[in-house]
Amino acid sequence: GWQGLVFEVAVADNDPAQPPTKTGSVLKTVRPGALLAPLEREYEVGLSLNALAHPGFVRTTGALIEEGSGAFLGILLEEVAGGRTLADLLAEPAWADAAGLVATLRATFAAMAAAQGCLGFMHQDLRAANVMVPLAAGGDVGSAGSPPPHPVIIDFGLATFGETFAAGPDTVLV
């Protein structure tokens, strides 16, 4: 994003000839001078969503704290396996699949309804750029007639928690 930075986390071996081993996590930090809410708050929101155990939200897996000063430097998130944002997919003519889009939106709104009903969660910035669509086997994002893998909602920097309610099938607050 334009305020946050996201890095793939890998562990380097002592052998420089070997490529680093991916850990399955990404690190989110803030660009200098960004106007984002503190990452500590986004970390706490992520932990609350972890308790929901819904596949529609990226999992928060840890925090990066500077030794000595205790400064909060970033949050560790589960990598969305080769995921692409819904915004990027919609810009590709090859992914112009109405059924895939409907399935993606339905799964996204179902995740939001579950989080609102259980936690009172309101994303406040839900848009195509904050929905990741994981790559299917073979690196495909889905094609006509085959819905994409389960989408994952990301970026909880503006999220709030309000009253919980049982949303009807046509009610999701974003």
Side-chain angles (χ1 to χ4, degrees):
W2 62 279
Q3 294 197 82
L5 298 169
V6 178
F7 302 95
E8 186 174 48
V9 178
V11 177
D13 195 347
N14 287 335
D15 182 358
Q18 296 297 317
T21 304
K22 293 182 180 184
T23 64
S25 293
V26 295
L27 171 67
K28 180 177 181 179
T29 64
V30 177
R31 291 183 191 273
L35 302 174
L36 282 175
L39 282 177
E40 294 95 326
R41 187 179 156 291
E42 187 169 351
Y43 173 71
E44 291 170 5
V45 170
L47 293 179
S48 295
L49 288 169
N50 284 357
L52 186 62
H54 193 285
F57 295 95
V58 68
R59 305 233 0 120
T60 299
T61 59
L64 181 63
I65 311 259
E66 185 175 46
E67 191 174 9
S69 73
F72 196 98
L73 302 177
I75 55 179
L76 293 167
L77 305 166
E78 176 183 68
E79 181 179 17
V80 179
R84 307 259 321 271
T85 68
L86 181 56
D88 289 343
L89 292 176
L90 290 173
E92 289 184 14
W95 197 74
D97 174 22
L101 177 59
V102 168
T104 298
L105 293 175
R106 183 172 286 144
T108 300
F109 291 137
M112 288 298 301
Q116 287 172 354
C118 294
L119 303 172
F121 174 78
M122 303 222 334
H123 191 280
Q124 308 271 39
D125 191 25
L126 186 61
R127 55 194 166 100
N130 286 335
V131 176
M132 296 288 291
V133 180
L135 295 177
D140 190 14
V141 293
S143 56
S146 88
H150 202 290
V152 177
I153 299 169
I154 62 171
D155 197 352
F156 313 129
L158 299 177
T160 61
F161 290 94
E163 294 183 35
T164 60
F165 66 95
D170 298 328
T171 308
V172 175
L173 302 176
V174 292

